[in-house]
Amino acid sequence: MGLNVVIAASEMLPFAKTGGLADVIGALPGALEGEGIEVTIFMPLYREVAAGGFDINATGITVNVAIGNRVIAVELYKGRHDKAVIYYLRCDEYFDRSYLYGTDEAAYFDNIERFTLFSRGVIEAIMRLGINPDLIHCNDWQTGLIPVYMKTLYSSAFSNTAAFFTIHNMAYQGVFPASSFDVTGLPYSAFNPEALEYWGQINLLKSGIVYSDIVTTVSESYSREIQTTEDFGRGLEGVLAERNDRLFGILNGVDYDIWNPQTDKHIAANYSNKDLKGKAVCKKALIKEYGLKIRQGEPLIGIISRLTDQKGFDIMAEGMPAVMKLGVGVVVLGSGERKYQDLMTKLAKTYKGRFGVKIGFDNALSHRIEAGADFFLMPSRFEPCGLNQFYSLKYGTIPIVRATGGLDDSISDYKGGKGNGFKFKRYSAKALTRKVAEAVELFKDKKAIKALRIKAMTEDYSWKRSAVRYHELYKLAISKAQG
Ligand code: ADP
Ligand code: GLC
């Protein structure tokens, strides 16, 4: 009989998304089912999920969840995605809000309560529904309490269930003041440095790491990087290095039902590696949409990104004067920190007609950029995996990336035809500019750039390969939990 696995996550496509986690949770279950694994998913019933017109129904089942000295009734709703069953935890007080975690300026003040309720609610719901999973796969700090509940308060019910934790980003740890510890209802033994205490505070990501049987990150390079310096490990490098024997990296994949230029409904014209004509139509439409004044024959660079320190906007902005001299156009789609919004808007003013910016989160536009650009720039300071480089390959939009984390694992430097993109090592404006110049140089050679596009589009990063690896590690986690 196949494994019975629960996946808990705070976002999932097509229901709610702020970043790549949603893409992963939207696609991985389908690939796991291909491995014969039965998957049940849990996520919060946010306002945007309730309003999204999805086929989601009340089950009539309620679980009571203790939050500090309150008991909150959480209603379970049910839906489906591929073959997987999804349960949505409804608690309007916490989840009927405009955003998932807070605004660009500030996180919601009660996130510790919101995600304690989610984590403990998942545990209560699994018991109430009689699911009996072999393993619970948790993702990021929002689910970091699930493993500690499994191993402490609820250990008798979960003695045969493995705790599996995937870190999608060390930069978000869910750190809260010690005074919130009572919200969790956990035994005080959990508040120590060997457990979830962190410099006098509570750290939910640390909880997930410390209490899980197996921990993964979303690329092999990142799984090594985070054990080295504070820049990568964000203070948990020691904790991670100590657990090196149960820490692994599995590269994310792509959902080609969503990201495929042959079938994409969002783009001006469809195309494939056999016939690239549609790509030129998409480029023309994109230049028009951004109101750029560049010619069709000039190289166009796309950027789609959360506007945070992680993504390399400082070196990008510093390199822009030199990059613009190369005769390129740039289109940016981003949402996030105000300082980067301002920086991008300023660049758009300085290079009017050649540098276009749209601030906001716009899924359809992200597809049009992938299709219409010639190159895709990801100069990340660090990158656990990154997904847009994969999407870019499929759309024949050549990635220019910094060699870090998943970008390093998926993109190889062109070097006279060997690689699938352009890759630079040093985190500096100079290294970035030099690499863009190489890409622009190749662009002049129409035959070579076409050959590179076709090669990129032919590469396969579907989820199957990753699902096989998750399956292996699920089995290892279960043997550890039961051994
Ligand atoms: P991260 O999760 O760190 O943001 P990833 O590359 O893994 O980075 O995933 C980002 C996902 O979010 C991609 O699917 C990307 O297309 C999408 N995305 C990022 N910013 C925006 C935006 N402003 N509008 C639409 N989609 C966006
Ligand atoms: C995180 C990372 C990104 C990764 C995504 C999905 O948000 O920043 O690199 O691709 O999670 O795993």
Side-chain angles (χ1 to χ4, degrees):
M1 224 178 59
L3 296 181
N4 178 5
V5 167
V6 161
I7 296 182
S10 59
E11 47 188 276
M12 170 182 184
L13 278 181
F15 308 105
K17 161 164 169 172
T18 69
L21 172 64
D23 302 46
V24 172
I25 306 302
L28 175 62
L32 292 173
E33 281 149 13
E35 286 286 294
I37 298 173
E38 191 186 330
V39 182
T40 311
I41 301 163
F42 286 84
M43 72 174 286
L45 189 67
Y46 301 109
R47 179 182 295 172
E48 68 177 270
V49 178
F54 301 109
D55 186 14
I56 295 175
N57 301 296
T59 60
I61 300 171
T62 298
V63 290
N64 290 323
V65 182
I67 293 294
N69 50 21
R70 294 172 66 198
V71 174
I72 298 180
V74 175
E75 290 174 71
L76 301 182
Y77 280 64
K78 192 174 176 181
R80 282 185 169 276
H81 183 61
D82 295 330
K83 273 188 252 146
V85 170
I86 308 172
Y87 287 101
Y88 308 84
L89 274 63
R90 177 168 182 182
C91 170
D92 290 350
E93 175 188 345
Y94 288 138
F95 299 126
D96 183 22
R97 299 188 186 178
S98 306
Y99 302 96
L100 268 52
Y101 315 124
T103 64
D104 285 340
E105 270 69 48
Y108 288 133
F109 73 98
D110 55 354
N111 273 346
I112 179 72
E113 290 170 37
R114 300 173 74 227
F115 290 101
T116 299
L117 179 104
F118 177 56
S119 295
R120 196 161 182 177
V122 169
I123 293 281
E124 293 284 353
I126 289 172
M127 296 193 322
R128 177 73 171 72
L129 295 164
I131 294 177
N132 242 325
D134 297 303
L135 177 145
I136 304 181
H137 181 169
C138 308
N139 295 274
D140 280 350
W141 69 265
Q142 293 87 346
T143 59
L145 289 174
I146 293 176
V148 60
Y149 284 129
M150 292 169 70
K151 305 288 174 176
T152 59
L153 283 188
Y154 296 87
S155 59
S156 56
F158 290 94
S159 57
N160 277 321
T161 307
F164 191 100
F165 193 79
T166 298
I167 302 165
H168 295 263
N169 199 332
M170 290 301 300
Y172 303 94
Q173 299 192 359
V175 176
F176 300 97
S179 55
S180 320
F181 187 73
D182 286 345
V183 168
T184 66
L186 286 166
Y188 283 105
S189 58
F191 193 73
N192 80 69
E194 295 304 308
L196 56 78
E197 191 261 4
Y198 176 78
W199 300 106
Q201 296 183 294
I202 309 169
N203 184 325
L204 300 193
L205 189 77
K206 186 177 176 195
S207 163
I209 293 168
V210 169
Y211 285 95
S212 294
D213 299 293
I214 293 287
V215 176
T216 63
T217 65
V218 285
S219 68
E220 285 198 14
S221 285
Y222 193 63
S223 75
R224 288 189 297 268
E225 289 165 348
I226 58 177
Q227 302 176 47
T228 56
T229 62
E230 190 173 352
D231 276 352
F232 289 111
R234 301 301 173 105
L236 293 180
E237 53 281 1
V239 173
L240 291 158
E242 246 174 64
R243 287 163 180 77
N244 174 283
D245 61 330
R246 52 178 142 120
L247 175 61
F248 300 87
I250 307 178
L251 200 64
N252 288 331
V254 182
D255 187 340
Y256 289 121
D257 287 340
I258 299 179
W259 296 99
N260 182 349
Q262 252 181 301
T263 52
D264 195 326
K265 301 246 180 323
H266 299 295
I267 63 181
N270 292 116
Y271 61 94
S272 72
N273 57 3
K274 308 234 158 36
D275 181 0
L276 280 162
K277 277 199 288 300
K279 186 159 178 64
V281 178
C282 294
K283 179 173 177 181
K284 195 169 173 201
L286 185 63
I287 293 173
K288 186 157 177 247
E289 181 169 2
Y290 270 85
L292 297 190
K293 301 280 180 288
I294 67 164
R295 278 176 285 117
Q296 180 81 8
E298 291 177 302
L300 181 60
I301 300 175
I303 295 176
I304 304 162
S305 183
R306 288 185 298 111
L307 300 172
T308 63
D309 293 339
Q310 169 184 350
K311 301 293 182 176
F313 286 100
D314 50 354
I315 58 168
M316 193 271 262
E318 195 190 326
M320 248 336 120
V323 167
M324 294 314 287
K325 276 201 195 114
L326 299 167
V328 302
V330 179
V331 291
V332 179
L333 168 62
S335 61
E337 286 175 35
R338 176 43 50 81
K339 66 174 176 186
Y340 293 121
Q341 292 187 21
D342 294 346
L343 191 60
M344 291 304 111
T345 315
K346 212 171 120 199
L347 285 169
K349 273 203 194 110
T350 311
Y351 302 107
K352 199 161 183 307
R354 300 198 76 87
F355 191 106
V357 172
K358 293 201 194 279
I359 301 293
F361 197 92
D362 185 338
N363 178 53
L365 177 56
S366 76
H367 285 248
R368 296 197 290 275
I369 294 175
E370 286 291 3
D374 295 302
F375 297 100
F376 194 92
L377 182 60
M378 295 180 84
S380 305
R381 186 185 287 272
F382 64 93
E383 195 61 75
C385 178
L387 293 169
N388 287 101
Q389 77 276 24
F390 296 121
Y391 304 158
S392 298
L393 289 170
K394 184 68 182 173
Y395 283 69
T397 302
I398 306 305
I400 305 171
V401 307
R402 171 152 184 270
T404 184
L407 297 174
D408 202 12
D409 292 357
S410 54
I411 302 303
S412 46
D413 194 44
Y414 181 67
K415 287 209 177 71
K418 289 198 201 76
N420 58 359
F422 291 89
K423 182 160 83 172
F424 62 98
K425 182 92 198 149
R426 272 206 34 213
Y427 188 76
S428 73
K430 212 167 149 196
L432 178 152
T433 312
R434 208 178 294 139
K435 211 31 96 173
V436 175
E438 270 180 44
V440 169
E441 200 48 41
L442 187 79
F443 186 80
K444 292 177 189 154
D445 182 344
K446 295 292 162 227
K447 242 171 110 179
I449 193 82
K450 186 172 176 198
L452 178 55
R453 283 199 211 292
I454 290 169
K455 175 181 179 179
M457 292 174 80
T458 316
E459 290 187 352
D460 180 9
Y461 291 95
S462 50
W463 271 101
K464 168 130 189 65
R465 179 183 34 94
S466 317
V468 169
R469 188 72 184 125
Y470 274 108
H471 195 178
E472 284 167 11
L473 291 181
Y474 283 171
K475 287 192 247 176
L476 180 62
I478 292 164
S479 72
K480 277 181 186 274
Q482 297 178 350

